[in-house]
Amino acid sequence: MHADPKGVLTGVHFMDGDHACCEGALAAGARFAAGYPITPSTEVVERFAARIPTIGGIFIQMEDELAASIAIQGAVWGGAKAFTVTSGPGFSLMMEHIGLAAMTETPCVFVNVQRGGPSTGLPTLPGQADMMQARWGSHGDYGIIALCPNSPQECFDLTITAFNLSEEFRVPVMMMLDECVGHMTEKVVIPEAESIEVTPRRYTKRSPEEYRPFEPQEDLVPEMVKAGDGYRFHITGLTHDERGYPDMSVGTQDRLVRRLTEKVKPAGDGRALYETGDLDDAEVAVVSYGITSRVAQRALQLARARGIRAGKFRLITAWPFPERQIRELAGLVKAFVVPELNLGQMVYEVERSAAGKAKVIPVTHAGGTVHNPDVILDAIMEAVR
Amino acid sequence: MIETTLDIPADARNPVEPFLRMERMPHIWCAGCGIGTTVNCFTRALLKSKANLDKVAVVSGIGCTGRVAGYARLDSFHTTHGRAIPFATGLKLANPELQVVVYSGDGDLFAIGGNHFIHAARRNMDLKVICVNNMIYAMTGGQTAPTTPLEALTSTAPYGVSEPAFNLVSLAEAAGACYVARWTTYHVMQLSRSMEEALGKKGFCFIEVLSPCPTLYQRRNRMGDGLDAMKYYKEASKIRHGAPTSECSLSKSGEIVVGKFVDRERPDYCELLRAQMCQSLGERYAEPEVVCSR
Amino acid sequence: MAKGFVSIAAERCKGCGFCVEFCPTRVLVLSSAFNSTGYHPPHVVAAEKCSGCDLCGMYCPDFAIFGGRYAR
């Protein structure tokens, strides 16, 4: 279905990534946001708080991130499309409810504008060190989807994608910005509402008597209902059977947890989003994401100017990790260079997917600013040596 | 099987059954636990309130009382530890026609969830909060709760509790609740009436129910079983409607002041939000339409 | 003739004794027999006294008993 024009600010704008992310949420149909202030993410909800009363929806500033991250789930079960926004310390507090959303298959979006960590770290400066936390931060086995924009335009576009994927797969989807992308101001084109595709919620057509809340459909995703429609359904964070009732048996645990993990895999395998450039003849592939991909672009130009056959592979879908693409590429290039604003996170995924077929060189950075392109260039040169 | 000598009409049915997921019985609560008693009172209050049950949602946190959501044949949500109130807040704001009842225990609502409780009361969120207070963490084996009275023995205070307990009704009043009552599981009629009253009142309503935990609280403190707790409630309770909540602290074996302490009018969150938005935005304000289309 | 009746689902009973203790007309006692889970459920000893007030049903934490009044 098309976007509701009420939420779509059609036009050409000059705005930062945080604001563009908010506009993406509005265009995707989000009419509920709960948040707790934290730099450098607050502008997303500040804009939402300013915009939503004239569109028709709710913003509530909660007492902490635990509250914000579960208030959105209450709103979803009440029928809303909902999201919350935070940065590292708040993201840590939200982990419990990312697990709840995964377990109860609650479609919702978590935006994390990453800053330097650990702990309070660098509140106003960039980092990309929450990438593994996004995937593994809550306890237990589950799957999620995470997207990494590298421009304000992508903050807009991918936030819509994030909502759509969350509805399709009934999973929490993470928008993994970083401080630079969040605070970078560029041209953002917001199209007409008719040209924005919005995925509707997978509401069941079954009667309350026939409906089983966690009965998987062909794609392993169950159909949804909302409170107040007479289904008298039960939702629990406990291991549950297809009726949604707690069941502590090993068999039920196995079926449920495997399904929660399996169902998101297609979002990586065939449908992972990524951008490539100059890979046809490349000996070296630079794998990067977010702001680092823009620094890497400069390093790639410098490398090509020196006659080094280097190309880019930009991760847009970080999770599920595009294993197949990296595996195939590993057969073609000599080496991967992986710069990121952390001491090595996604590089382990590249290494695992390359499975020894190509050398993998991390270019680490503790955060606080971006890489110097020369450092990435050095790694590229080392890779072809 | 024991046969009764009574003539039972063929169509006689336990009035709680339509409210419960009977296929999940027997429940997990211990012999002599009072949580089931509070559920009886709640179902009868729902019956009397003539609420449309399709529009009533129960939200629970974690713990023994947290299991109420799993047994209620309503839209019911068993959330995370301490977070029933913020979940309920989102549910209510997204779908204001729902009557949202938070049903949880003292540890869940006042230790790990204490911050959410005071903020929801401050906002006067239109939620009905029923707290079954058994004075201990029961599900995990009898540890000290913020409601455990001084000197009581718990598994984490084997030499007696030394820290003062919360007075829940005073806390609720101070935080802004517009309806505050306390009963025990002995006071089934009064409790049910209070629940019915709260269901009919807009705003943040809080009902504390003292309830036996024979397995972990009574036994460790040599206070007998569930029935002994009920007899204590009967003997030690004094009904004092309108009593200043600051005078209603509880102790291990002292007087229990019960009654309706607060019943006041305050505009609720949604009314205040709407008024402020109308004042600032005038005709530009759009009424929230939060539910996404099919 | 009694005004009311009580219905007991003895298998669901956990023998807490609330219904026996708080029955205003002393209709019930705990049986000496066991149910299959090892509890002593109540049984009726004074059927004629039952007013059908359902206080037993209000108290029973196990939803194992309820009272009702006969239709006139």
Side-chain angles (χ1 to χ4, degrees):
Chain A
M1 66 195 255
H2 300 319
D4 171 5
K6 270 190 294 188
V8 183
L9 200 66
T10 303
V12 179
H13 307 270
F14 189 55
M15 64 171 68
D16 75 12
D18 282 357
H19 285 181
C21 175
C22 171
E23 290 302 331
L26 288 168
R31 295 292 179 269
F32 186 98
Y36 185 83
I38 185 165
T39 307
S41 75
T42 316
E43 292 89 333
V44 184
V45 289
E46 283 174 342
R47 189 177 181 99
F48 195 85
R51 292 262 287 128
I52 200 66
T54 59
I55 293 170
I58 295 279
F59 169 68
I60 183 166
Q61 185 175 314
M62 296 301 287
E63 49 275 12
D64 58 29
E65 286 91 345
L66 287 151
S69 58
I70 197 168
I72 61 166
Q73 298 186 46
V76 168
W77 286 103
K81 291 195 177 183
F83 74 121
T84 187
V85 182
T86 192
S87 186
F91 201 49
S92 292
L93 290 180
M94 290 183 179
M95 286 302 131
E96 180 178 21
H97 294 141
I98 288 170
L100 179 72
M103 187 60 143
T104 56
E105 303 184 60
T106 303
C108 53
V109 172
F110 289 77
V111 178
N112 177 1
V113 187
Q114 297 172 86
R115 65 195 219 184
S119 191
T120 313
L122 303 168
T124 62
L125 300 170
Q128 294 179 315
D130 306 348
M131 297 305 295
M132 283 290 174
Q133 186 185 23
R135 173 64 187 89
W136 303 106
S138 198
H139 54 280
D141 286 314
Y142 59 94
I144 53 93
I145 297 171
L147 307 177
C148 297
N150 80 345
S151 68
Q153 181 68 52
E154 269 196 0
C155 288
F156 175 81
D157 296 336
L158 291 180
T159 302
I160 297 171
T161 308
F163 274 94
N164 288 348
L165 290 169
S166 81
E167 297 295 341
E168 181 181 349
F169 291 94
R170 281 189 63 182
V171 279
V173 177
M174 321 285 150
M175 277 294 288
M176 300 300 286
L177 281 65
D178 51 68
E179 185 275 335
C180 291
V181 169
H183 284 165
M184 168 193 293
T185 300
E186 286 183 345
K187 182 167 104 170
V188 174
V189 180
I190 298 183
E192 303 277 346
E194 312 73 281
S195 61
I196 297 173
E197 266 310 304
V198 166
T199 304
R201 185 147 296 162
R202 299 174 65 142
Y203 282 123
T204 189
K205 290 191 176 69
R206 293 186 186 203
S207 68
E209 293 70 36
E210 296 171 312
Y211 174 67
R212 289 161 71 84
F214 292 94
E215 184 185 344
Q217 303 299 294
E218 237 168 72
D219 61 357
L220 302 182
V221 181
E223 294 178 324
M224 232 178 133
V225 289
K226 68 177 168 65
D229 288 353
Y231 284 85
R232 311 271 185 101
F233 61 99
H234 181 58
I235 298 297
T236 177
L238 286 167
T239 296
H240 45 271
D241 60 21
E242 291 185 359
R243 295 172 301 172
Y245 293 173
D247 179 354
M248 303 298 105
S249 71
V250 174
T252 300
Q253 166 76 358
D254 186 75
R255 268 194 305 282
L256 176 62
V257 175
R258 285 188 194 282
R259 184 173 65 73
L260 294 179
T261 310
E262 284 300 314
K263 71 171 182 177
V264 298
K265 287 196 173 159
D269 268 357
R271 294 175 49 192
L273 303 170
Y274 55 90
E275 184 194 346
T276 57
D278 292 332
L279 283 178
D280 290 347
D281 66 341
E283 286 185 289
V284 187
V286 177
V287 181
S288 61
Y289 54 94
I291 190 58
T292 307
S293 67
R294 297 179 67 153
V295 181
Q297 188 65 37
R298 175 68 183 148
L300 285 164
Q301 283 167 0
L302 295 171
R304 281 278 167 181
R306 293 176 187 216
I308 302 170
R309 288 181 286 140
K312 78 168 164 194
F313 188 96
R314 175 165 76 92
L315 297 168
I316 299 174
T317 303
W319 305 112
F321 189 76
E323 292 174 35
R324 203 190 65 203
Q325 288 80 354
I326 297 295
R327 191 169 57 239
E328 286 169 5
L329 199 51
L332 304 172
V333 297
K334 273 200 209 157
F336 290 101
V337 167
V338 188
E340 44 186 344
L341 291 180
N342 56 52
L343 301 189
Q345 294 198 11
M346 299 312 286
V347 66
Y348 292 120
E349 287 297 301
V350 176
E351 203 164 65
R352 189 175 62 77
S353 304
K357 287 196 283 176
K359 201 159 53 163
V360 178
I361 302 168
V363 187
T364 62
H365 190 305
T369 181
V370 295
H371 289 80
N372 183 328
D374 291 341
V375 178
I376 301 172
L377 178 64
D378 289 347
I380 294 170
M381 293 198 301
E382 183 198 326
V384 290
R385 198 169 294 141
Chain B
M1 276 296 287
I2 297 109
E3 295 298 325
T4 124
T5 55
L6 288 175
D7 211 6
I8 298 165
D11 59 349
R13 222 175 139 201
N14 191 332
V16 297
E17 291 192 5
F19 295 83
L20 298 176
R21 302 183 192 274
M22 294 308 292
E23 67 273 28
R24 296 203 59 215
M25 296 296 145
H27 56 57
I28 62 159
W29 299 314
C30 301
C33 166
I35 297 170
T37 304
T38 72
V39 172
N40 288 326
C41 298
F42 179 58
T43 57
R44 282 159 177 85
L46 278 177
L47 260 177
K48 284 199 177 153
S49 76
K50 304 221 169 14
N52 174 0
L53 297 184
D54 285 347
K55 301 292 179 190
V56 179
V58 172
V59 184
S60 291
I62 299 297
C64 292
T65 310
R67 294 304 185 98
V68 168
Y71 297 127
R73 185 173 294 288
L74 297 165
D75 289 335
S76 58
F77 302 93
H78 182 223
T79 63
T80 53
H81 196 17
R83 321 296 171 204
I85 285 178
F87 183 97
T89 295
L91 185 62
K92 177 74 191 177
L93 291 177
N95 205 331
E97 63 173 12
L98 295 174
Q99 171 76 267
V100 181
V101 179
V102 173
Y103 213 124
S104 217
D106 48 310
D108 182 79
L109 285 168
F110 290 96
I112 189 165
N115 197 30
H116 309 308
F117 181 90
I118 57 173
H119 285 279
R122 169 180 67 79
R123 297 181 180 113
N124 201 20
M125 198 55 71
D126 186 20
L127 303 174
K128 317 301 148 201
V129 180
I130 297 163
C131 172
V132 178
N133 179 3
N134 57 14
M135 301 190 153
I136 204 148
Y137 283 99
M139 183 69 90
T140 48
Q143 296 79 24
T144 310
T147 44
T148 311
L150 284 172
E151 298 172 17
L153 303 177
T154 73
S155 71
T156 47
Y159 309 111
V161 168
S162 59
E163 52 179 90
F166 265 144
N167 172 350
L168 303 183
V169 290
S170 174
L171 180 69
E173 182 184 18
C178 63
Y179 183 97
V180 180
R182 175 197 283 151
W183 298 104
T184 77
T185 46
Y186 167 70
H187 301 89
V188 284
M189 301 306 285
Q190 295 95 327
L191 172 60
S192 192
R193 223 162 15 240
S194 252
M195 288 170 162
E196 193 191 334
E197 247 177 27
L199 288 168
K201 190 172 173 78
K202 209 174 172 76
F204 190 88
C205 299
F206 175 64
I207 300 172
E208 175 186 14
V209 193
L210 267 73
S211 169
C213 175
T215 307
L216 294 156
Y217 183 73
Q218 264 78 35
R219 184 165 59 185
R220 187 181 286 270
N221 286 286
R222 300 186 189 286
M223 294 166 89
D225 59 11
L227 188 55
D228 292 310
M230 293 288 271
K231 289 178 185 168
Y232 160 59
Y233 295 158
K234 182 180 175 182
E235 284 151 22
S237 293
K238 260 215 178 99
I239 300 179
R240 282 177 61 200
H241 293 301
T245 52
S246 58
E247 295 169 13
C248 298
S249 296
L250 297 168
S251 60
K252 197 174 155 209
S253 50
E255 184 181 88
I256 303 167
V257 180
V258 294
K260 179 169 80 175
F261 306 123
V262 177
D263 190 350
R264 58 187 169 185
E265 301 306 317
R266 281 180 69 207
D268 81 329
Y269 177 88
C270 289
E271 288 171 63
L272 289 167
L273 176 71
R274 191 174 186 285
Q276 182 64 36
M277 292 302 133
C278 287
Q279 185 189 315
S280 295
L281 293 167
E283 290 190 351
R284 291 174 56 221
Y285 176 59
E287 298 291 345
E289 278 178 50
V290 174
V291 172
C292 62
S293 50
R294 286 175 183 260
Chain C
M1 152 111 190
K3 281 194 280 184
F5 62 88
V6 287
S7 170
I8 301 167
E11 279 306 303
R12 226 183 269 155
C13 174
K14 292 184 187 147
C16 68
F18 292 1
C19 56
V20 173
E21 178 71 23
F22 299 116
C23 172
T25 52
R26 301 256 154 224
V27 169
L28 304 161
V29 294
L30 284 188
S31 168
S32 57
F34 294 99
N35 66 13
S36 67
T37 44
Y39 294 110
H40 297 289
H43 75 125
V44 172
V45 289
E48 71 288 353
K49 290 189 195 163
C50 179
S51 70
C53 71
D54 188 37
L55 210 56
C56 52
M58 289 284 271
Y59 275 112
C60 179
D62 296 289
F63 319 119
I65 189 171
F66 68 96
R69 292 204 166 93
Y70 290 119
R72 302 231 163 196

PDB file of all heavy atoms in Angstrom, chain A residues 260-281:
ATOM      1  N   LEU A 260      12.388 -18.240  15.308  1.00  0.00           N
ATOM      2  CA  LEU A 260      12.698 -16.812  15.485  1.00  0.00           C
ATOM      3  C   LEU A 260      14.009 -16.448  14.795  1.00  0.00           C
ATOM      4  O   LEU A 260      14.186 -15.342  14.300  1.00  0.00           O
ATOM      5  CB  LEU A 260      12.793 -16.453  16.974  1.00  0.00           C
ATOM      6  CG  LEU A 260      11.513 -16.559  17.802  1.00  0.00           C
ATOM      7  CD1 LEU A 260      11.785 -16.189  19.259  1.00  0.00           C
ATOM      8  CD2 LEU A 260      10.415 -15.668  17.228  1.00  0.00           C
ATOM      9  N   THR A 261      14.933 -17.401  14.787  1.00  0.00           N
ATOM     10  CA  THR A 261      16.245 -17.155  14.190  1.00  0.00           C
ATOM     11  C   THR A 261      16.199 -17.336  12.675  1.00  0.00           C
ATOM     12  O   THR A 261      16.782 -16.556  11.928  1.00  0.00           O
ATOM     13  CB  THR A 261      17.274 -18.106  14.832  1.00  0.00           C
ATOM     14  OG1 THR A 261      17.134 -18.007  16.249  1.00  0.00           O
ATOM     15  CG2 THR A 261      18.690 -17.746  14.463  1.00  0.00           C
ATOM     16  N   GLU A 262      15.460 -18.370  12.239  1.00  0.00           N
ATOM     17  CA  GLU A 262      15.391 -18.701  10.805  1.00  0.00           C
ATOM     18  C   GLU A 262      14.599 -17.668  10.004  1.00  0.00           C
ATOM     19  O   GLU A 262      14.946 -17.363   8.864  1.00  0.00           O
ATOM     20  CB  GLU A 262      14.733 -20.076  10.601  1.00  0.00           C
ATOM     21  CG  GLU A 262      15.629 -21.262  10.928  1.00  0.00           C
ATOM     22  CD  GLU A 262      16.897 -21.298  10.085  1.00  0.00           C
ATOM     23  OE1 GLU A 262      16.798 -21.105   8.861  1.00  0.00           O
ATOM     24  OE2 GLU A 262      17.978 -21.502  10.657  1.00  0.00           O
ATOM     25  N   LYS A 263      13.540 -17.167  10.599  1.00  0.00           N
ATOM     26  CA  LYS A 263      12.577 -16.398   9.792  1.00  0.00           C
ATOM     27  C   LYS A 263      13.184 -15.115   9.202  1.00  0.00           C
ATOM     28  O   LYS A 263      12.715 -14.635   8.179  1.00  0.00           O
ATOM     29  CB  LYS A 263      11.315 -16.065  10.612  1.00  0.00           C
ATOM     30  CG  LYS A 263      11.536 -15.023  11.700  1.00  0.00           C
ATOM     31  CD  LYS A 263      10.247 -14.556  12.348  1.00  0.00           C
ATOM     32  CE  LYS A 263      10.560 -13.490  13.393  1.00  0.00           C
ATOM     33  NZ  LYS A 263       9.368 -12.923  14.026  1.00  0.00           N
ATOM     34  N   VAL A 264      14.221 -14.567   9.853  1.00  0.00           N
ATOM     35  CA  VAL A 264      14.797 -13.313   9.334  1.00  0.00           C
ATOM     36  C   VAL A 264      15.880 -13.553   8.290  1.00  0.00           C
ATOM     37  O   VAL A 264      16.323 -12.610   7.631  1.00  0.00           O
ATOM     38  CB  VAL A 264      15.391 -12.418  10.455  1.00  0.00           C
ATOM     39  CG1 VAL A 264      14.329 -12.000  11.444  1.00  0.00           C
ATOM     40  CG2 VAL A 264      16.539 -13.098  11.157  1.00  0.00           C
ATOM     41  N   LYS A 265      16.295 -14.806   8.123  1.00  0.00           N
ATOM     42  CA  LYS A 265      17.425 -15.066   7.222  1.00  0.00           C
ATOM     43  C   LYS A 265      17.209 -14.559   5.793  1.00  0.00           C
ATOM     44  O   LYS A 265      18.144 -14.035   5.185  1.00  0.00           O
ATOM     45  CB  LYS A 265      17.807 -16.549   7.259  1.00  0.00           C
ATOM     46  CG  LYS A 265      18.505 -16.895   8.569  1.00  0.00           C
ATOM     47  CD  LYS A 265      19.243 -18.199   8.538  1.00  0.00           C
ATOM     48  CE  LYS A 265      20.041 -18.356   9.839  1.00  0.00           C
ATOM     49  NZ  LYS A 265      20.376 -19.750  10.114  1.00  0.00           N
ATOM     50  N   PRO A 266      15.984 -14.691   5.251  1.00  0.00           N
ATOM     51  CA  PRO A 266      15.800 -14.168   3.886  1.00  0.00           C
ATOM     52  C   PRO A 266      16.100 -12.674   3.764  1.00  0.00           C
ATOM     53  O   PRO A 266      16.423 -12.194   2.668  1.00  0.00           O
ATOM     54  CB  PRO A 266      14.316 -14.445   3.605  1.00  0.00           C
ATOM     55  CG  PRO A 266      13.964 -15.574   4.515  1.00  0.00           C
ATOM     56  CD  PRO A 266      14.810 -15.394   5.743  1.00  0.00           C
ATOM     57  N   ALA A 267      16.010 -11.940   4.849  1.00  0.00           N
ATOM     58  CA  ALA A 267      16.317 -10.503   4.783  1.00  0.00           C
ATOM     59  C   ALA A 267      17.799 -10.275   4.525  1.00  0.00           C
ATOM     60  O   ALA A 267      18.209  -9.193   4.093  1.00  0.00           O
ATOM     61  CB  ALA A 267      15.899  -9.814   6.078  1.00  0.00           C
ATOM     62  N   GLY A 268      18.613 -11.291   4.771  1.00  0.00           N
ATOM     63  CA  GLY A 268      20.036 -11.192   4.485  1.00  0.00           C
ATOM     64  C   GLY A 268      20.361 -11.852   3.164  1.00  0.00           C
ATOM     65  O   GLY A 268      20.823 -11.209   2.235  1.00  0.00           O
ATOM     66  N   ASP A 269      20.021 -13.128   3.079  1.00  0.00           N
ATOM     67  CA  ASP A 269      20.422 -13.946   1.932  1.00  0.00           C
ATOM     68  C   ASP A 269      20.193 -13.301   0.575  1.00  0.00           C
ATOM     69  O   ASP A 269      21.099 -12.772  -0.037  1.00  0.00           O
ATOM     70  CB  ASP A 269      19.673 -15.279   1.970  1.00  0.00           C
ATOM     71  CG  ASP A 269      20.495 -16.329   2.704  1.00  0.00           C
ATOM     72  OD1 ASP A 269      21.628 -15.987   3.094  1.00  0.00           O
ATOM     73  OD2 ASP A 269      20.007 -17.447   2.877  1.00  0.00           O
ATOM     74  N   GLY A 270      18.950 -13.364   0.117  1.00  0.00           N
ATOM     75  CA  GLY A 270      18.686 -12.868  -1.227  1.00  0.00           C
ATOM     76  C   GLY A 270      18.468 -11.376  -1.252  1.00  0.00           C
ATOM     77  O   GLY A 270      18.621 -10.734  -2.284  1.00  0.00           O
ATOM     78  N   ARG A 271      18.099 -10.817  -0.094  1.00  0.00           N
ATOM     79  CA  ARG A 271      17.573  -9.458  -0.116  1.00  0.00           C
ATOM     80  C   ARG A 271      18.426  -8.445   0.636  1.00  0.00           C
ATOM     81  O   ARG A 271      17.970  -7.331   0.889  1.00  0.00           O
ATOM     82  CB  ARG A 271      16.154  -9.470   0.440  1.00  0.00           C
ATOM     83  CG  ARG A 271      15.201 -10.244  -0.479  1.00  0.00           C
ATOM     84  CD  ARG A 271      13.834 -10.375   0.106  1.00  0.00           C
ATOM     85  NE  ARG A 271      13.323  -9.100   0.596  1.00  0.00           N
ATOM     86  CZ  ARG A 271      12.243  -8.980   1.352  1.00  0.00           C
ATOM     87  NH1 ARG A 271      11.575 -10.057   1.713  1.00  0.00           N
ATOM     88  NH2 ARG A 271      11.830  -7.802   1.753  1.00  0.00           N
ATOM     89  N   ALA A 272      19.631  -8.847   0.987  1.00  0.00           N
ATOM     90  CA  ALA A 272      20.500  -7.898   1.694  1.00  0.00           C
ATOM     91  C   ALA A 272      20.709  -6.665   0.825  1.00  0.00           C
ATOM     92  O   ALA A 272      20.861  -6.760  -0.395  1.00  0.00           O
ATOM     93  CB  ALA A 272      21.832  -8.547   2.008  1.00  0.00           C
ATOM     94  N   LEU A 273      20.715  -5.515   1.456  1.00  0.00           N
ATOM     95  CA  LEU A 273      20.977  -4.273   0.739  1.00  0.00           C
ATOM     96  C   LEU A 273      22.461  -3.958   0.853  1.00  0.00           C
ATOM     97  O   LEU A 273      23.039  -4.049   1.938  1.00  0.00           O
ATOM     98  CB  LEU A 273      20.157  -3.137   1.351  1.00  0.00           C
ATOM     99  CG  LEU A 273      18.642  -3.358   1.383  1.00  0.00           C
ATOM    100  CD1 LEU A 273      17.953  -2.288   2.218  1.00  0.00           C
ATOM    101  CD2 LEU A 273      18.090  -3.355  -0.038  1.00  0.00           C
ATOM    102  N   TYR A 274      23.067  -3.637  -0.257  1.00  0.00           N
ATOM    103  CA  TYR A 274      24.484  -3.265  -0.237  1.00  0.00           C
ATOM    104  C   TYR A 274      24.775  -2.458  -1.490  1.00  0.00           C
ATOM    105  O   TYR A 274      23.974  -2.425  -2.432  1.00  0.00           O
ATOM    106  CB  TYR A 274      25.388  -4.505  -0.166  1.00  0.00           C
ATOM    107  CG  TYR A 274      25.134  -5.505  -1.271  1.00  0.00           C
ATOM    108  CD1 TYR A 274      25.819  -5.428  -2.476  1.00  0.00           C
ATOM    109  CD2 TYR A 274      24.177  -6.514  -1.112  1.00  0.00           C
ATOM    110  CE1 TYR A 274      25.555  -6.327  -3.499  1.00  0.00           C
ATOM    111  CE2 TYR A 274      23.911  -7.415  -2.125  1.00  0.00           C
ATOM    112  CZ  TYR A 274      24.599  -7.318  -3.318  1.00  0.00           C
ATOM    113  OH  TYR A 274      24.340  -8.197  -4.334  1.00  0.00           O
ATOM    114  N   GLU A 275      25.918  -1.781  -1.513  1.00  0.00           N
ATOM    115  CA  GLU A 275      26.292  -0.981  -2.672  1.00  0.00           C
ATOM    116  C   GLU A 275      27.707  -1.392  -3.058  1.00  0.00           C
ATOM    117  O   GLU A 275      28.579  -1.521  -2.188  1.00  0.00           O
ATOM    118  CB  GLU A 275      26.257   0.508  -2.294  1.00  0.00           C
ATOM    119  CG  GLU A 275      26.547   1.423  -3.464  1.00  0.00           C
ATOM    120  CD  GLU A 275      26.848   2.855  -3.020  1.00  0.00           C
ATOM    121  OE1 GLU A 275      26.576   3.199  -1.850  1.00  0.00           O
ATOM    122  OE2 GLU A 275      27.392   3.601  -3.841  1.00  0.00           O
ATOM    123  N   THR A 276      27.909  -1.613  -4.353  1.00  0.00           N
ATOM    124  CA  THR A 276      29.254  -1.982  -4.792  1.00  0.00           C
ATOM    125  C   THR A 276      29.752  -0.958  -5.811  1.00  0.00           C
ATOM    126  O   THR A 276      28.961  -0.243  -6.426  1.00  0.00           O
ATOM    127  CB  THR A 276      29.267  -3.373  -5.457  1.00  0.00           C
ATOM    128  OG1 THR A 276      28.342  -3.361  -6.538  1.00  0.00           O
ATOM    129  CG2 THR A 276      28.887  -4.466  -4.471  1.00  0.00           C
ATOM    130  N   GLY A 277      31.060  -0.920  -5.966  1.00  0.00           N
ATOM    131  CA  GLY A 277      31.651  -0.050  -6.980  1.00  0.00           C
ATOM    132  C   GLY A 277      33.042  -0.546  -7.333  1.00  0.00           C
ATOM    133  O   GLY A 277      33.789  -0.961  -6.431  1.00  0.00           O
ATOM    134  N   ASP A 278      33.355  -0.558  -8.599  1.00  0.00           N
ATOM    135  CA  ASP A 278      34.700  -0.916  -9.077  1.00  0.00           C
ATOM    136  C   ASP A 278      35.161  -2.298  -8.643  1.00  0.00           C
ATOM    137  O   ASP A 278      36.359  -2.517  -8.430  1.00  0.00           O
ATOM    138  CB  ASP A 278      35.739   0.116  -8.596  1.00  0.00           C
ATOM    139  CG  ASP A 278      35.541   1.467  -9.270  1.00  0.00           C
ATOM    140  OD1 ASP A 278      35.020   1.479 -10.415  1.00  0.00           O
ATOM    141  OD2 ASP A 278      35.867   2.491  -8.648  1.00  0.00           O
ATOM    142  N   LEU A 279      34.227  -3.219  -8.503  1.00  0.00           N
ATOM    143  CA  LEU A 279      34.643  -4.555  -8.036  1.00  0.00           C
ATOM    144  C   LEU A 279      35.023  -5.484  -9.187  1.00  0.00           C
ATOM    145  O   LEU A 279      35.639  -6.525  -8.975  1.00  0.00           O
ATOM    146  CB  LEU A 279      33.530  -5.206  -7.199  1.00  0.00           C
ATOM    147  CG  LEU A 279      33.368  -4.693  -5.764  1.00  0.00           C
ATOM    148  CD1 LEU A 279      32.189  -5.394  -5.090  1.00  0.00           C
ATOM    149  CD2 LEU A 279      34.636  -4.888  -4.942  1.00  0.00           C
ATOM    150  N   ASP A 280      34.656  -5.090 -10.435  1.00  0.00           N
ATOM    151  CA  ASP A 280      34.842  -5.997 -11.573  1.00  0.00           C
ATOM    152  C   ASP A 280      36.279  -6.500 -11.700  1.00  0.00           C
ATOM    153  O   ASP A 280      36.516  -7.678 -11.907  1.00  0.00           O
ATOM    154  CB  ASP A 280      34.414  -5.311 -12.878  1.00  0.00           C
ATOM    155  CG  ASP A 280      32.908  -5.119 -12.928  1.00  0.00           C
ATOM    156  OD1 ASP A 280      32.210  -5.742 -12.071  1.00  0.00           O
ATOM    157  OD2 ASP A 280      32.433  -4.342 -13.781  1.00  0.00           O
ATOM    158  N   ASP A 281      37.201  -5.564 -11.559  1.00  0.00           N
ATOM    159  CA  ASP A 281      38.605  -5.954 -11.724  1.00  0.00           C
ATOM    160  C   ASP A 281      39.366  -5.909 -10.395  1.00  0.00           C
ATOM    161  O   ASP A 281      40.591  -5.936 -10.367  1.00  0.00           O
ATOM    162  CB  ASP A 281      39.275  -5.003 -12.725  1.00  0.00           C
ATOM    163  CG  ASP A 281      39.349  -3.575 -12.171  1.00  0.00           C
ATOM    164  OD1 ASP A 281      38.576  -3.272 -11.215  1.00  0.00           O
ATOM    165  OD2 ASP A 281      40.160  -2.777 -12.670  1.00  0.00           O
TER     166      ASP A 281
END
